[in-house]
Amino acid sequence: MLPMIEVRNLTKHYGDKHAVNDISFTVEDGEILGFLGPNGAGKSTTMNMLTGYISSTSGQALINGVDILEDPIKAKSYIGYLPELPPLYLDMTVKGYLNYIFDLKKCKLPRKAHLNEVMTLTKITDVKERLIKNLSKGYKQRVGLAQALVGNPPVLILDEPTVGLDPKQILEIRTLIKKLGKNHTVILSSHILSEIQAVCDRIIIINHGVVAAHDTTDNLSRNVSTDHRIIARIEGPRDEIVKAMRNIEGIKYVKADMEREAGVYEYELEALPGSDIRRDLYEITREHDWPILSLRSAEMTLEDVFLKITMGEGIVIPNAEDIAEAKKGAEA
Amino acid sequence: MGAIFRREIGAYFTSSIAYIFLAVFWIFSGYFFWASCLYPGTSDMSGLFQSMFLICVFLIPILTMRLFSEEKKQKTEQGLLTAPVSLGEIVFGKYFAALVLYTLALLMPFVYALILSSFGTVEWGIVIANFLALFLLGAAFIAVGTLVSALTENQIAAAVLSFVALMALYMIDVINSYISISFINNILEKLSFYRRYYAITCGLFNVSTVIFYISVALIFNYFTIRVFERRRWS
């Protein structure tokens, strides 16, 4: 079966500036893919190319097997798009606007039932008679989402759908996206990691217009969560402890954190990859009679991964081709 | 196209533009009707129609200024350009909305003709030809204004630039009189909007004029489509 979205070597140059450089990925039917990256990384540019708003300099984007540049109208009819700024006409009522979108997309579904369904799903039924300009940011965002859902397109492309919402609304939208992911193919962009982590099956980290990492959410967290970072709570003189720990072989850095209890500090230790410092740590503390009150390995959060990758610190993460090869191997 | 057309008509009336446009159009045409027909006591409407040219130059920019500039400013353009519709549908949907409002404005001079007919004999053949010419002139001007609106994201800039463009079209004859190269004179004469229009108000109906105005409308709408195509590819 064809993948719902297939992107091959997509590139966009603005003059000399490479906004997006050679991005390739596929999204299968019913999958939720997360685009992660700092502001200006090329997330929106990629989405704009996928939805046919701008053209690519080179490369191809296929939606349900249809090239967005070759048959834009057909390809666009498969997509529901929520741009970074929802395209709302402020002087229309919510109902009037959704009716307009219904006509614009030339939907064949039963109008009233479908629009009611969309409004119920996005919880905007109670504001349907109000002018969009009088709505709060959260409601505007939801009307934007509703607009993307009109016509029940198989692909949803959502550019930072939770931006500017309060925590409760964010949770609601996330739940909604998860629900939509059951019978839609979704691409979601965000610079909020927890969001991507909570919603997406797979993550693509984009930085400076290139794919910096591409893996399933679980793998991405697992691959980089190492056992060579330890957080220890030790009783004893702080400076001496730090000094002693610096002498452990294979240690990368030691950092003393705040005083947790009287005379007890928390220390963060990171070892070089491949070395295990836990036994040495035990030796030192035993020698000096500094009791370890707690010891835990610090899981690297996606936050750290993100920062490391986008700051250009090398983390070895299998890239897209390796995954594809591994998949091929598994299938064979 | 229908959806865009209907939304645009709705937007004309929810914003004050439709009312302002209609009111000002009717005030000026009413004044010229009084000055050229009622006051001298004639049923010859050519004076009114000649003045209408300049009214169009002033008022059509108001009609077209927000068509695309506002979409760009409010970022709603992105919704249009990612919807499963062609650029032609978008441009013509908006164009026809402006044209329909303009046609609505033309109803008032038609009422004047009816008023005149109750006082004297109106040459209906000439009057109808004049209406057709005025309609086609507006159709061409609206296409010019639509293009200008697509080039800017500020309504006021769009209005001012459209006005300058239409004024330039109006002034072709004036410019022409300063040039004494017969080759250029010939070309400018053929391009003159006013000369063709004036001939019809004098009762000289010419099919080439009809074709000229329709061609101008189509060409400028085509340019507008190209503007969007180019922007996507840039």
Side-chain angles (χ1 to χ4, degrees):
Chain A
M1 213 183 85
L2 276 171
M4 209 44 157
I5 301 171
E6 190 173 0
V7 172
R8 294 188 199 133
N9 310 100
L10 210 57
T11 301
K12 180 76 186 176
H13 296 176
Y14 290 109
D16 288 342
K17 195 179 171 284
H18 294 202
V20 169
N21 211 351
D22 202 19
I23 286 185
S24 303
F25 60 88
T26 57
V27 193
E28 302 295 331
D29 198 0
E31 200 177 16
I32 306 182
L33 175 77
F35 267 1
L36 196 58
N39 293 324
K43 303 187 298 271
S44 293
T45 309
T46 309
M47 289 184 151
N48 282 337
M49 282 190 280
L50 280 178
T51 53
Y53 179 53
I54 54 174
S55 67
S56 51
T57 309
S58 64
Q60 241 188 337
L62 304 169
I63 312 292
N64 204 0
V66 181
D67 190 314
I68 188 77
L69 292 179
E70 264 166 33
D71 191 352
I73 295 180
K74 193 170 176 200
K76 284 173 189 174
S77 70
Y78 295 131
I79 304 174
Y81 182 33
L82 171 62
E84 212 168 347
L85 287 162
L88 306 174
Y89 292 101
L90 302 178
D91 53 3
M92 294 178 100
T93 62
V94 171
K95 204 169 132 194
Y97 174 67
L98 291 179
N99 266 302
Y100 157 69
I101 295 291
F102 188 91
D103 292 334
L104 185 67
K105 292 187 177 178
K106 299 178 184 115
C107 298
K108 301 279 189 293
L109 301 157
R111 178 187 294 263
K112 212 169 167 199
H114 178 58
L115 291 185
N116 279 337
E117 188 196 334
V118 167
M119 286 192 284
T120 315
L121 210 57
T122 48
K123 295 192 180 135
I124 50 173
T125 313
D126 49 334
V127 296
K128 67 178 176 186
E129 303 294 346
R130 284 173 59 183
L131 287 178
I132 294 177
K133 67 176 162 200
N134 296 333
L135 297 180
S136 69
K137 173 118 190 157
Y139 269 116
K140 277 183 189 155
Q141 194 71 26
R142 278 191 256 178
V143 176
L145 191 59
Q147 159 285 128
L149 292 176
V150 168
N152 214 3
V155 175
L156 291 176
I157 297 185
L158 313 172
D159 198 350
E160 309 211 344
T162 59
V163 122
L165 302 185
D166 67 40
K168 186 169 164 272
Q169 292 168 332
I170 289 180
L171 220 62
E172 278 172 11
I173 294 273
R174 265 187 215 165
T175 319
L176 176 59
I177 293 171
K178 263 195 158 167
K179 200 162 135 196
L180 291 170
K182 284 184 186 131
N183 38 26
H184 293 81
T185 305
V186 183
I187 297 187
L188 170 81
S189 86
S190 179
H191 55 256
I192 305 163
L193 295 141
S194 51
E195 179 166 299
I196 296 267
Q197 208 165 10
V199 176
C200 299
D201 307 319
R202 213 144 50 83
I203 298 180
I204 290 181
I205 298 182
I206 299 182
N207 194 34
H208 296 306
V210 294
V211 174
H214 178 180
D215 208 337
T216 61
T217 311
D218 294 343
N219 274 345
L220 208 52
S221 328
R222 196 186 309 136
N223 270 328
V224 287
S225 73
T226 48
D227 52 359
H228 58 258
R229 228 170 99 202
I230 292 172
I231 292 180
R233 206 175 271 198
I234 304 169
E235 192 172 353
R238 192 181 66 171
D239 296 342
E240 273 177 51
I241 293 179
V242 171
K243 218 166 129 193
M245 287 196 290
R246 287 230 166 94
N247 292 328
I248 299 176
E249 198 181 325
I251 199 144
K252 198 169 161 199
Y253 75 83
V254 181
K255 202 168 74 186
D257 207 356
M258 57 192 287
E259 189 168 15
R260 297 288 170 167
E261 297 161 43
V264 179
Y265 287 86
E266 199 160 79
Y267 302 88
E268 195 182 316
L269 299 92
E270 190 174 325
L272 295 169
S275 42
D276 192 343
I277 54 170
R278 287 171 299 179
R279 286 171 192 80
D280 297 323
L281 181 65
Y282 166 72
E283 284 298 330
I284 289 177
T285 49
R286 191 181 54 84
E287 242 171 59
H288 294 83
D289 199 17
W290 296 325
I292 296 179
L293 301 184
S294 81
L295 183 69
R296 62 193 163 90
S297 90
E299 279 248 339
M300 209 177 203
T301 61
L302 213 43
E303 220 91 13
D304 301 319
V305 180
F306 176 71
L307 281 177
K308 282 214 165 184
I309 289 171
T310 54
M311 307 275 274
E313 282 181 42
I315 282 189
V316 187
I317 292 172
N319 58 26
E321 284 121 50
D322 293 342
I323 294 170
E325 258 169 41
K327 258 190 194 163
K328 260 181 219 159
E331 274 163 24
Chain B
M1 188 159 87
I4 295 165
F5 172 78
R6 280 193 296 277
R7 200 208 74 77
E8 212 55 54
I9 291 281
Y12 271 130
F13 284 96
T14 45
S15 69
S16 45
I17 287 181
Y19 304 104
I20 291 172
F21 174 76
L22 290 176
V24 177
F25 193 93
W26 289 343
I27 287 170
F28 277 107
S29 61
Y31 169 76
F32 286 114
F33 173 59
W34 174 79
S36 69
C37 296
L38 293 184
Y39 187 67
T42 169
S43 66
D44 171 21
M45 293 181 82
S46 61
L48 169 65
F49 279 106
Q50 278 159 25
S51 327
M52 295 302 280
F53 189 98
L54 212 53
I55 298 180
C56 286
V57 168
F58 278 101
L59 291 183
I60 281 182
I62 294 176
L63 204 57
T64 57
M65 63 180 185
R66 44 163 290 289
L67 282 179
F68 284 106
S69 59
E70 192 65 4
E71 297 267 355
K72 210 189 295 177
K73 197 169 185 188
Q74 304 288 346
K75 310 285 176 203
T76 46
E77 172 191 73
Q78 207 167 1
L80 269 185
L81 295 178
T82 56
V85 290
S86 67
L87 288 173
E89 283 178 85
I90 297 172
V91 171
F92 277 100
K94 284 176 174 283
Y95 173 76
F96 282 129
L99 193 59
V100 163
L101 194 60
Y102 173 72
T103 311
L104 203 61
L106 290 189
L107 286 180
M108 199 53 101
F110 195 74
V111 171
Y112 301 154
L114 289 177
I115 291 170
L116 279 185
S117 72
S118 68
F119 292 111
T121 19
V122 172
E123 284 290 343
W124 280 106
I126 294 178
V127 169
I128 299 287
N130 270 315
F131 270 111
L132 183 65
L134 190 56
F135 171 78
L136 291 172
L137 179 76
F141 278 3
I142 290 170
V144 174
T146 307
L147 172 66
V148 174
S149 180
L151 292 172
T152 157
E153 58 180 275
N154 184 315
Q155 288 193 32
I156 306 298
V160 172
L161 289 176
S162 305
F163 171 70
V164 170
L166 297 185
M167 206 62 193
L169 291 177
Y170 173 63
M171 304 274 277
I172 286 181
D173 292 303
V174 180
I175 298 164
N176 202 10
S177 65
Y178 287 112
I179 301 171
S180 51
I181 307 164
S182 67
F183 167 67
I184 293 177
N185 287 145
N186 275 337
I187 294 176
L188 287 181
E189 227 165 75
K190 293 284 185 297
L191 286 176
S192 169
F193 278 59
Y194 189 69
R195 186 182 286 263
R196 288 169 187 282
Y197 181 75
Y198 184 76
I200 292 181
T201 61
C202 296
L204 299 167
F205 190 78
N206 195 336
V207 179
S208 78
T209 303
V210 176
I211 295 170
F212 174 78
Y213 285 139
I214 292 179
S215 309
V216 170
L218 290 178
I219 287 169
F220 276 92
N221 279 323
Y222 173 72
F223 284 159
T224 310
I225 295 172
R226 293 294 303 164
V227 165
F228 283 101
E229 241 158 50
R230 257 202 71 80
R231 190 175 303 152
R232 187 162 53 158
W233 286 93
S234 68

